[in-house]
C-alpha cells in the first residue's frame, strides 16, 4: 500500500492542459473546471486553440491549450502563469512552457517524446529538458499512451479510439493531485456520452487509472493539494461559458417578455456556439435558423422583429460588416433587435480563434447615415447573461436595435455561475400600441420618452408600413421633406441618448486614488487584479469599468475628471480612449494598448501602471 502524502491547503491554483488539437485538452480542462465549480470553487478559464482545422500531428502550430484558475473565493482571471502544466507531446512542452511558473509541476506523456516527436517540435537534442533548462525534479514523466492502451486492452475499441482517451488519464492524474471527487467526473462523462454509454464507461475507467497512478507512485510530487471554498452562497451552480450564458440570457428575456425568441445566424468563429446552444431549446419556444450568409441571418431577424418576436442575430467582426445594411434597416424602422458581436482578431480573417476589442468603433459608427444604437459590453463569461438580458430589455422597451459586444476570451472562457430565478430578473415590458390608438395609429408617433409604439402585423386597426425610406413623423408616409428628415434624425438620436443606464461605479480607493484605471468589457478581471496588486504594493488605485458604452452613464464626466491621473487600458490601439475624448470635454488620459490576440497579463499591467503613477 502506498504511503499517504501530506495534503496541503491552497487558496488558488492555475492548471494548463496542452496537446495536439485532437488530444481533447479542451474537454479535459472543461471537466476539471466543472468539477471545481460544482464544489463551490471560483473558476476562470481560457481556451487557447489554433485556427487550423487540424494541423499536422505533433507540429508546433497545432498545439491547443486550456487554462483554468481555481480559487477558494472569486477568481477574476485565468492567471498569468500556471502552477501545473500538462504537456501531452513534445510540441506542447515546447510552445506552452512559457506559460508555466519557474516552480511549476510539469506532467508529460513520455510516449510522445520519441525522436520523431522531438524533430517535429524542432528540438536540437534528445535531452529536451536540458535544452529548455527544465529541472527534471519538477517533471512527472509518465508513459500515458502505454498505460491507456493497457487499461483498455480488452475494451474492444480500436487503436484510434483508445488514443482519444489519453486526455482522461491526464485528467485523472490532475484530479488526484488536487483531491477531486471522481464521482463528479463520472457523472459528467455519463451525461456527455449518454447516447454512447460504452464510451462513457471506458473514459471513466481511464480517469480512474490516472488517479490510481498518482496515488500509487506519488508521481514525484511532495504533496497533494486541496482548495476549500469559502463564503458559499446557497443555490444551484454550474460552470458556464460566455456563449452559453448569452444563449440562456436571450431565452430568459424572451420568457420574461412573453415572446418567442428568434435567432437568425450564420456560423462564424467564435460566435457559433450561441447558435448551437439555442438550437437545443425548441421546447422553450426558441426558433433558430442557420442562414446561407451573414446578410440573410440579420435580414431574417429584422423580419422576425417586425413580426413581433424577440429577434437576435449573432456573429463576429467580419459578420458585423456584412450585416450593417440590415442593421441600419432596423435603425430607421426602429425595431427591437439584439445584435451579438463576439469580437476576434482582425482585420479580415485575421486571428479567428483569438480575442481583441477592436470592433468598438465599428459598433458605434460602422453604418451609413446618422444611425445611433445602444452598445453594451459584457465584462465576464457569467456577465454575458445579464448583459444580453439588459440588451433585450432595452431593445424591446425602446424599440431599437442594440449591439452586445463580447469577445473570444469571455465567449469561450467559463466561470462558476449561480443560476438566477425568473423572479430575480428585471421586468421587461415591450412598448406595444395602446387601445386608444386603434384605427388612428401611425408608426412614428412617440411617447414622452421619444419611443414609438410597436404594432404587430395582423392586429386589426393598426395597419402600417415600415421600410428603408425616410417616413413622415406624423403620418408614416414616405417623405423627402428636409425639415422632416432633420427632425427624424434628431428624434432617433435623442431616443438613444436618453435611455436610462446605471451610473458608472468606481472600485478600490475611490476617494483618494493616485491613478484611476479605465476599461470596458472583458478586460475587467485583469484590470481589477492589477488594481489589487498595486494596492498590495502600497499605491492608491481605483478602477472604473464600463459596461454601458452608448449611451454613457450620466456620471461619466464627473468620474473621469475627478482623478488627477487616468489610464485607459484596452485591447486595441485606443478606440475607447478616443470615444471618451469625444464625449467628455477636456479629458486627456494616459493609455495602455495591446493587440496580441491574447488576454492582458496582470504583471505587465502592474509594471505599466506603476510607471504612470511614479512619473
Amino acid at each position: 500500500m502506498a504511503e499517504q502524502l501530506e495534503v496541503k491547503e491552497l487558496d488558488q491554483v492555475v492548471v494548463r492542459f496542452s496537446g495536439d488539437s485532437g488530444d481533447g485538452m479542451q474537454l479535459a480542462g472543461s471537466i476539471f473546471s466543472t468539477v471545481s465549480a460544482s464544489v463551490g470553487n471560483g473558476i476562470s478559464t481560457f481556451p487557447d486553440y489554433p485556427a487550423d482545422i487540424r494541423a499536422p500531428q505533433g507540429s508546433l502550430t497545432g498545439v491547443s491549450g486550456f487554462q483554468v484558475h481555481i480559487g477558494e473565493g472569486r477568481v477574476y482571471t485565468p492567471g498569468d502563469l500556471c502552477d501545473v502544466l500538462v504537456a501531452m507531446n513534445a510540441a506542447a512542452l515546447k510552445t506552452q512552457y512559457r506559460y508555466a511558473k519557474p516552480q511549476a509541476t510539469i506532467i508529460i506523456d513520455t510516449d510522445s517524446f520519441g525522436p520523431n516527436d522531438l524533430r517535429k517540435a524542432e528540438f536540437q537534442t534528445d535531452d529536451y529538458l536540458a535544452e529548455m533548462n527544465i529541472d527534471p525534479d519538477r517533471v512527472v514523466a509518465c508513459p500515458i499512451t502505454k498505460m491507456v492502451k493497457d487499461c483498455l486492452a480488452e475494451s474492444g475499441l480500436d487503436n484510434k479510439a483508445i488514443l482519444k482517451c489519453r486526455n482522461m488519464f491526464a485528467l485523472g492524474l490532475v484530479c488526484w493531485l488536487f483531491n477531486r471527487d471522481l464521482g463528479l467526473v463520472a457523472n459528467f462523462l455519463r451525461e456527455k456520452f449518454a447516447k454512447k454509454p460504452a464510451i462513457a464507461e471506458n473514459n471513466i475507467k481511464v480517469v480512474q487509472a490516472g488517479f490510481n497512478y498518482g496515488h500509487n507512485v506519488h508521481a514525484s510530487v511532495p504533496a497533494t493539494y486541496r482548495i476549500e471554498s469559502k463564503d458559499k452562497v446557497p443555490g444551484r451552480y454550474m460552470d458556464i461559458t460566455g456563449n452559453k450564458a448569452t444563449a440562456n440570457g436571450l431565452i430568459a428575456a424572451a420568457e420574461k417578455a412573453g415572446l418567442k425568441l428568434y435567432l437568425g445566424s450564420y456560423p462564424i468563429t467564435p460566435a457559433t456556439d450561441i447558435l448551437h446552444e439555442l438550437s437545443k431549446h425548441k421546447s422553450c419556444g426558441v426558433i433558430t435558423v442557420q442562414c446561407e450568409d451573414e446578410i440573410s441571418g440579420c435580414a431574417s431577424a429584422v423580419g422576425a422583429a417586425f413580426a413581433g418576436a424577440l429577434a437576435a442575430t449573432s456573429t463576429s467582426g467580419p459578420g458585423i460588416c456584412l450585416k450593417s445594411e440590415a442593421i441600419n434597416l432596423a435603425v430607421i424602422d426602429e425595431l427591437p433587435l439584439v445584435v451579438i458581436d463576439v469580437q476576434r482578431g482582425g482585420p479580415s480573417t485575421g486571428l479567428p480563434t483569438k480575442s481583441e476589442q477592436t470592433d468598438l468603433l465599428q459598433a458605434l459608427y460602422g453604418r451609413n447615415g446618422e444611425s445611433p444604437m445602444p452598445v453594451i459590453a459584457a465584462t465576464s463569461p457569467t456577465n454575458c447573461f445579464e448583459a444580453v438580458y439588459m440588451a433585450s430589455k432595452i431593445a424591446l422597451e425602446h424599440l431599437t436595435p442594440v449591439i452586445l459586444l463580447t469577445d473570444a476570451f469571455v465567449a469561450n472562457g467559463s466561470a462558476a455561475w449561480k443560476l438566477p430565478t425568473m423572479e430575480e430578473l428585471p421586468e421587461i415590458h415591450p412598448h406595444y400600441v395602446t387601445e386608444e390608438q386603434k384605427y388612428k395609429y401611425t408608426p412614428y408617433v412617440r411617447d414622452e420618452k421619444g419611443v414609438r409604439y410597436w404594432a404587430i402585423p395582423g392586429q386589426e386597426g393598426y395597419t402600417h408600413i415600415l421600410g428603408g425610406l425616410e417616413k413622415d413623423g406624423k403620418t408614416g408616409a414616405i417623405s423627402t421633406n428636409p425639415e422632416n428628415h432633420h427632425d427624424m434624425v434628431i428624434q432617433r438620436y435623442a431616443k438613444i441618448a436618453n435611455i436610462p443606464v446605471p451610473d458608472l461605479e468606481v472600485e478600490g480607493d475611490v476617494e483618494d486614488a493616485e491613478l484611476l484605471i479605465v476599461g470596458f468589457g472583458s478586460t475587467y478581471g485583469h484590470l481589477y487584479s492589477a488594481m489589487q496588486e498595486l494596492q498590495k504594493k502600497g499605491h492608491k488605485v481605483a478602477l472604473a469599468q464600463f459596461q454601458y458604452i452608448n449611451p454613457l452613464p450620466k456620471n461619466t464626466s464627473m468620474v473621469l475628471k475627478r482623478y488627477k491621473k487616468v489610464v485607459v487600458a484596452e485591447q486595441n490601439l485606443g478606440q475607447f480612449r478616443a470615444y471618451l475624448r469625444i464625449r467628455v470635454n477636456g479629458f486627456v488620459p494616459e493609455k495602455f494598448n495591446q493587440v496580441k490576440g491574447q488576454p492582458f497579463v496582470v504583471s505587465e499591467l502592474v509594471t505599466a501602471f506603476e510607471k504612470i503613477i511614479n512619473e
Side-chain angles (χ1 to χ4, degrees):
M1 182 175 178
E3 179 186 353
Q4 186 68 35
L5 284 177
E6 178 188 2
V7 179
K8 293 184 177 180
E9 295 284 345
L10 298 177
D11 57 4
Q12 60 181 336
V13 72
V14 179
V15 181
R16 189 176 183 94
F17 296 84
S18 62
D20 260 333
S21 292
D23 283 343
M25 293 297 95
Q26 310 294 320
L27 177 60
S30 64
I31 294 175
F32 187 65
S33 61
T34 297
V35 169
S36 300
S38 65
V39 297
N41 291 148
I43 65 165
S44 177
T45 72
F46 175 52
D48 189 12
Y49 52 93
D52 309 52
I53 294 175
R54 184 66 192 273
Q57 188 173 10
S59 65
L60 295 173
T61 59
V63 175
S64 176
F66 188 101
Q67 187 158 304
V68 55
H69 185 181
I70 302 164
E72 61 180 6
R74 185 175 177 185
V75 171
Y76 293 93
T77 76
D80 287 357
L81 301 172
C82 64
D83 301 284
V84 177
L85 172 64
V86 177
M88 297 297 287
N89 63 16
L93 181 66
K94 186 71 170 289
T95 60
Q96 304 298 296
Y97 182 63
R98 63 188 175 124
Y99 299 115
K101 295 177 181 177
Q103 69 275 20
T105 297
I106 302 168
I107 299 172
I108 65 172
D109 178 6
T110 53
D111 294 329
S112 297
F113 281 76
N116 194 41
D117 302 304
L118 296 176
R119 180 185 58 78
K120 289 181 181 178
E122 299 180 8
F123 281 101
Q124 303 303 310
T125 68
D126 291 339
D127 193 352
Y128 49 89
L129 295 181
E131 192 172 323
M132 296 190 67
N133 199 27
I134 298 174
D135 181 358
D137 290 340
R138 295 192 291 112
V139 178
V140 178
C142 174
I144 293 177
T145 300
K146 180 181 182 303
M147 285 190 285
V148 170
K149 288 181 177 180
D150 291 343
C151 179
L152 299 179
E154 299 179 4
S155 65
L157 296 176
D158 59 30
N159 188 62
K160 184 177 180 180
I162 288 174
L163 292 179
K164 284 185 176 181
C165 297
R166 295 165 61 242
N167 60 334
M168 292 298 103
F169 192 98
L171 174 63
L173 191 51
V174 173
C175 285
W176 165 76
L177 188 59
F178 295 102
N179 288 277
R180 292 306 187 203
D181 181 0
L182 292 194
L184 298 173
V185 177
N187 292 340
F188 182 100
L189 290 168
R190 288 188 178 113
E191 182 177 341
K192 179 174 179 60
F193 297 107
K195 296 181 180 180
K196 299 178 180 179
I199 297 295
E201 296 308 317
N202 283 322
N203 276 280
I204 292 169
K205 185 177 180 181
V206 174
V207 172
Q208 186 69 59
F211 189 96
N212 292 343
Y213 175 84
H215 177 73
N216 291 331
V217 306
H218 290 174
S220 306
V221 297
T224 62
Y225 307 94
R226 180 181 291 114
I227 302 164
E228 292 290 349
S229 302
K230 66 177 183 179
D231 302 326
K232 292 183 179 179
V233 178
R236 184 182 176 190
Y237 288 82
M238 65 182 295
D239 172 24
I240 195 168
T241 65
N243 274 340
K244 188 170 183 179
T246 301
N248 287 344
L250 286 170
I251 295 171
E255 179 73 19
K256 199 74 169 182
L259 298 175
K260 283 189 175 296
L261 171 63
Y262 175 90
L263 180 80
S265 188
Y266 179 77
I268 183 172
T269 301
T272 308
D273 284 341
I274 298 171
L275 172 62
H276 289 170
E277 180 63 28
L278 286 176
S279 67
K280 302 174 184 176
H281 297 286
K282 293 182 177 65
S283 61
C284 297
V286 178
I287 302 168
T288 55
V289 177
Q290 180 176 320
C291 297
E292 63 268 28
D293 54 39
E294 294 282 5
I295 298 170
S296 56
C298 190
S300 68
V302 172
F306 179 73
L310 171 54
T313 186
S314 56
T315 188
S316 189
I320 293 292
C321 296
L322 292 165
K323 294 178 190 289
S324 61
E325 185 177 8
I327 292 172
N328 241 10
L329 179 60
V331 170
I332 198 167
D333 285 350
E334 299 185 52
L335 287 169
L337 173 68
V338 179
V339 181
I340 302 157
D341 178 6
V342 186
Q343 299 168 95
R344 71 188 205 185
S348 188
T349 309
L351 303 174
T353 62
K354 307 303 179 182
S355 187
E356 289 178 6
Q357 294 183 302
T358 44
D359 294 350
L360 176 62
L361 293 182
Q362 179 179 221
L364 289 166
Y365 302 117
R367 296 165 297 280
N368 70 294
E370 294 288 348
S371 51
M373 285 175 58
V375 177
I376 299 173
T379 58
S380 70
T382 56
N383 178 252
C384 287
F385 177 91
E386 176 190 334
V388 80
Y389 186 92
M390 294 309 296
S392 303
K393 177 178 171 68
I394 289 172
L396 292 168
E397 294 184 347
H398 296 270
L399 275 290
T400 177
V402 180
I403 289 184
L404 171 65
L405 293 175
T406 71
D407 56 42
F409 172 64
V410 294
N412 293 324
S414 66
W417 181 52
K418 181 178 178 291
L419 276 69
T421 63
M422 290 300 292
E423 291 73 24
E424 295 171 332
L425 299 175
E427 294 295 322
I428 297 179
H429 301 287
H431 199 252
Y432 290 126
V433 291
T434 64
E435 183 65 27
E436 291 74 24
Q437 293 172 310
K438 194 170 185 179
Y439 297 115
K440 50 186 178 181
Y441 168 74
T442 58
Y444 293 108
V445 170
R446 303 172 187 274
D447 69 2
E448 67 281 359
K449 297 178 182 178
V451 182
R452 79 173 191 89
Y453 295 86
W454 194 18
I456 309 304
Q459 287 182 276
E460 183 181 353
Y462 299 94
T463 303
H464 65 287
I465 297 173
L466 298 179
L469 291 172
E470 186 65 279
K471 304 296 191 298
D472 185 281
K474 295 179 180 179
T475 67
I478 293 172
S479 172
T480 58
N481 180 278
E483 284 71 26
N484 174 78
H485 177 58
H486 178 78
D487 187 52
M488 291 293 278
V489 167
I490 294 297
Q491 290 189 62
R492 286 190 289 263
Y493 177 86
K495 181 181 75 168
I496 303 305
N498 292 324
I499 292 173
V501 300
D503 277 350
L504 177 64
E505 293 186 5
V506 181
E507 300 177 271
D509 299 304
V510 178
E511 300 299 328
D512 56 352
E514 305 168 75
L515 177 69
L516 175 68
I517 303 168
V518 173
F520 76 94
S522 65
T523 57
Y524 171 73
H526 293 83
L527 297 181
Y528 186 89
S529 298
M531 178 190 74
Q532 289 183 315
E533 292 301 314
L534 287 165
Q535 288 174 325
K536 290 176 184 177
K537 299 178 79 169
H539 296 293
K540 296 286 188 178
V541 186
L543 170 65
Q545 191 78 7
F546 283 80
Q547 181 173 10
Y548 293 89
I549 296 174
N550 191 37
L552 287 167
K554 299 297 183 186
N555 66 333
T556 295
S557 181
M558 181 190 71
V559 168
L560 296 183
K561 289 186 172 182
R562 178 179 179 180
Y563 299 93
K564 184 177 179 180
K565 289 185 178 181
V566 182
V567 58
V568 180
E570 49 190 318
Q571 291 181 305
N572 55 50
L573 294 183
Q575 296 183 22
F576 190 49
R577 180 177 181 269
Y579 175 64
L580 289 175
R581 291 191 65 186
I582 292 172
R583 293 301 182 91
V584 181
N585 188 40
F587 179 57
V588 186
E590 301 288 337
K591 60 184 179 180
F592 181 88
N593 306 109
Q594 281 186 352
V595 197
K596 296 181 176 181
Q598 297 286 330
F600 282 145
V601 175
V602 174
S603 60
E604 293 178 359
L605 293 172
V606 170
T607 299
F609 296 162
E610 194 166 33
K611 182 179 179 182
I612 293 172
I613 291 171
N614 293 331
E615 284 177 347

